[in-house]
Amino acid sequence: ELYGLMSPEQSGYLATFPTEQRIPVTIWLVRPVEVPNFRSQPQPYWAKRSFAVQYDGSFVTRLLAQFPLCAARPIDAAFGVVAQLTPVEVRSLFTWPEIREVMVNSASALFVAPPTWYQTHKFDLAQQQSTGLLGRMGIVEFGKWLPLSTLPSPRVLVDGFNGNSLPIQHLQYVVSIFSNTAPSAMPGASPDGQLFYAAASAAMYNAVSTQMSAVDALLQSQVDVVNMSFGTGMFDVQGVLVPAATPDGFGRYCDEQAYDLGTTFVAASGNAADLGGAYAQVASPANGLNVIAVGMFEDTRTGVWEDDVMSAKSAWKNPPGVWGDRAKPDLVAAGATARVVDPSDSSGTSYQGGTSLAAPMVSGTVGLLNDAFRRRGSTSALPVEIVRSILMATASENVDHVYTPATRGGFSFPWVHLSDLDGAGGLNSAAALEAYSQGHVGLEVYGACRAPQSRQVLQGARFSLRYGQHARAAIAFSSLADPLGNPTADLDVMVAPVDPTTGQILGVAAWSGSIESNAEMVEFTAESAGTYQVYLMTRSCSIAPVYVGYSWWLGP
């Protein structure tokens, strides 16, 4: 099965046509989910023809808008169109999620539908809002030290490491998830973003100082996000290296930089959960309080979430603490099977898997967000607190929804907390960009800690809901803490229906409740139409300033 790619033979066949020649193509579309049972119709052929004409028509309109000379027309009573396209235009179609396969002349299908992680995470819709051009993404890898630079097109480094070639090859895999020009590999989460690279020592488990130096080099280049697709902090148990339960020196270093600078750090959660025990724990640096940990789910390639589950290999166990409710990972992305650039393979690409490939999907989305931020005139980057709240508020489909009846202030409501398996759920890149563009974000700066048990209105976080409409809200704040101690602050998020005129609270729609996490997320379905307000609840706070990012997402 080939997803969103051409084989070398098919690509070679397409290359035999002159660049400007218009080639007859047949484009087969993904069958709509709402397709009726035509056999039950009095005139099944005409029923299907009528349905197909309407369905194909919208695609023809989009195709003509993109390629005015393509002479596209629908196929009678079929989910497909015929057109005339140049080879370059044919290649550009493989990122269109509504396309199932394309045939040139009488040749077999040149490619089939785009990879479903691209559809599931809705990168195509996100990239309509932002290409990532102004986003600055940094990558830390173990391997050969290369001069810090912006990676040139095609943004995939040549494997030139003469000792252990794996680190540089791994870098190629990671970079091709961000962006690449190889049409047979993944389309890229942030195709035009600026990528920076810094290498740490290849001696993975004893290179704390060089890891810090690599991050320092990236920070000097003012990157927006530091992507880390590796684990550190291993300790020896009878000759076997086991991931540490709490951040090691490098993890604590990342926590401090995020707290002081607002830089976003994204890290893979680990790939050995199937071994059980300590291996299921989210490893350092991903288990840091201020680091966004990314787990991995198994994509069954249906384009929907309902049949996707957490990967058996993806680390998911929360780090230990006083109360045992520090939620990690923060969210998940597809990474079990990704088509990546691989010069060691005769085709130039190969299928690879791991949370190493899920993390850059999240980092690439951060690049898209910061591109959109800079297009409004900013010269800085979005603070990690805002980024984290956006990603969590707009994530999709927690795999283990838990609705726990709860009571606060005399009001009963279903308390929905972060998942113990996948945090806030699966990355939704398009929703994240949309939440930002709609202004469903904010940042509160606490110059001094507020009194315990206080309630603060989050400015601008008020919205209207219909009866039965779904909503999410999230807060995120940076903390400093001892490995087994409490974070700097214990803050919760509450959403309540209010009187739009007086602001009086009329009930509680949702309230978060973890103690050791420095990110909180709630989701709920409106039990009544009306106005809703998001509040910040302060349980405790010991170090100021505290920067609190918040975001909300309104579903169908």
Side-chain angles (χ1 to χ4, degrees):
E1 293 179 321
L2 305 177
Y3 289 85
L5 54 93
M6 298 182 211
S7 70
E9 294 76 19
Q10 293 165 333
S11 183
Y13 171 69
L14 191 62
T16 62
F17 294 95
T19 304
E20 301 302 321
Q21 180 178 341
R22 295 205 161 268
I23 316 162
V25 297
T26 305
I27 303 173
W28 297 101
L29 305 178
V30 176
R31 287 177 64 86
V33 294
E34 68 275 13
V35 61
N37 181 357
F38 298 114
R39 294 192 181 191
S40 64
Q41 308 282 333
Q43 294 179 305
Y45 172 79
W46 292 105
K48 182 180 180 184
R49 190 177 190 276
S50 175
F51 184 89
V53 165
Q54 182 176 1
Y55 181 72
D56 296 344
S58 61
F59 178 80
V60 168
T61 299
R62 182 185 171 194
L63 198 65
L64 288 170
Q66 186 77 14
F67 310 117
L69 302 179
C70 71
R73 63 176 178 81
I75 302 172
D76 287 346
F79 301 117
V81 302
V82 292
Q84 294 186 4
L85 299 171
T86 67
V88 173
E89 291 171 344
V90 171
R91 289 184 185 276
S92 72
L93 293 178
F94 83 98
T95 60
W96 293 34
E98 59 265 65
I99 296 178
R100 181 161 57 93
E101 59 184 353
V102 175
M103 297 179 179
V104 172
N105 291 336
S106 58
S108 299
L110 282 175
F111 57 83
V112 299
T116 50
W117 70 259
Y118 202 70
Q119 296 178 40
T120 303
H121 297 316
K122 303 186 187 301
F123 284 114
D124 55 334
L125 300 178
Q127 288 159 8
Q128 290 174 18
Q129 304 176 62
S130 165
T131 62
L133 180 64
L134 301 181
R136 301 169 62 86
M137 297 163 290
I139 304 168
V140 179
E141 279 284 326
F142 291 104
K144 182 179 180 181
W145 182 272
L146 300 177
L148 183 69
S149 63
T150 301
L151 301 183
S153 179
R155 300 181 176 84
V156 179
L157 300 184
V158 175
D159 186 354
F161 191 53
N162 296 324
N164 177 4
S165 64
L166 179 61
I168 298 298
Q169 189 174 43
H170 182 266
L171 172 63
Q172 291 170 325
Y173 299 160
V174 170
V175 170
S176 65
I177 296 294
F178 279 103
S179 174
N180 67 80
T181 58
S184 58
M186 291 301 190
S190 185
D192 298 320
Q194 303 176 70
L195 301 182
F196 296 79
Y197 165 65
S201 168
M204 186 176 297
Y205 303 116
N206 57 9
V208 172
S209 62
T210 57
Q211 293 163 31
M212 293 181 187
S213 297
V215 171
D216 180 71
L218 292 173
L219 294 177
Q220 289 184 47
S221 296
Q222 298 180 314
V223 298
D224 306 334
V225 55
V226 177
N227 184 86
M228 302 173 290
S229 290
F230 56 80
T232 63
M234 311 293 280
F235 65 96
D236 192 299
V237 177
Q238 297 179 346
V240 178
L241 289 173
V242 179
T246 55
D248 65 344
F250 176 61
R252 295 297 299 280
Y253 173 82
C254 296
D255 259 0
E256 180 179 316
Q257 301 310 315
Y259 180 85
D260 287 331
L261 305 178
T263 304
T264 298
F265 287 79
V266 176
S269 67
N271 301 318
D274 55 336
L275 299 179
Y279 289 100
Q281 291 176 157
V282 174
S284 186
N287 60 14
L289 278 168
N290 305 331
V291 176
I292 299 176
V294 182
M296 172 178 64
F297 70 86
E298 297 280 354
D299 189 346
T300 55
R301 299 185 182 277
T302 59
V304 296
W305 282 100
E306 286 75 9
D307 54 1
D308 296 326
V309 298
M310 279 291 286
S311 168
K313 289 185 172 296
S314 178
W316 58 271
K317 276 191 175 182
N318 297 335
V322 176
W323 299 98
D325 66 352
R326 182 175 299 176
K328 289 285 182 176
D330 294 85
L331 72 166
V332 295
T337 307
R339 185 86 170 187
V340 296
V341 172
D342 187 353
S344 68
D345 190 278
S346 60
S347 69
T349 62
S350 65
Y351 282 109
Q352 302 295 331
T355 56
S356 288
L357 306 181
M361 295 185 188
V362 174
S363 296
T365 299
V366 178
L368 297 178
L369 286 167
N370 278 298
D371 169 73
F373 184 53
R374 287 198 172 94
R375 288 183 187 278
R376 295 184 175 183
S378 175
T379 57
S380 60
L382 285 167
V384 61
E385 296 85 5
I386 290 182
V387 168
R388 194 174 186 178
S389 67
I390 292 175
L391 294 175
M392 297 178 75
T394 58
S396 302
E397 298 295 333
N398 295 78
V399 297
D400 63 341
H401 279 112
V402 179
Y403 291 84
T404 307
T407 301
R408 291 285 191 279
F411 297 108
S412 297
F413 61 95
W415 168 38
V416 184
H417 55 74
L418 293 171
S419 159
D420 283 341
L421 285 179
D422 64 353
L427 171 68
N428 187 326
S429 185
L433 266 290
E434 188 172 342
Y436 172 73
S437 65
Q438 291 179 347
H440 293 180
V441 298
L443 183 72
E444 293 277 348
V445 182
Y446 283 11
C449 292
R450 299 188 185 276
Q453 310 304 320
S454 65
R455 181 176 66 226
Q456 176 74 17
V457 172
L458 292 176
Q459 298 299 321
R462 178 177 287 195
F463 46 84
S464 297
L465 292 176
R466 304 182 309 273
Y467 168 75
Q469 189 174 7
H470 190 73
R472 275 189 174 211
I475 62 170
F477 53 97
S478 293
S479 289
L480 297 175
D482 294 327
L484 296 179
N486 291 333
T488 301
D490 179 12
L491 308 177
D492 290 334
V493 60
M494 181 182 81
V495 182
V498 298
D499 184 294
T501 303
T502 65
Q504 179 184 356
I505 295 177
L506 305 177
V508 176
W511 188 322
S512 66
S514 66
I515 297 174
E516 296 175 12
S517 294
N518 63 339
E520 303 274 355
M521 185 275 294
V522 293
E523 60 176 320
F524 64 96
T525 300
E527 296 184 353
S528 60
T531 302
Y532 288 76
Q533 174 69 54
V534 183
Y535 294 91
L536 180 68
M537 314 299 291
T538 303
R539 288 190 179 181
S540 65
C541 175
S542 59
I543 298 179
V546 177
Y547 300 89
V548 182
Y550 56 96
S551 180
W552 64 97
W553 173 247
L554 310 182

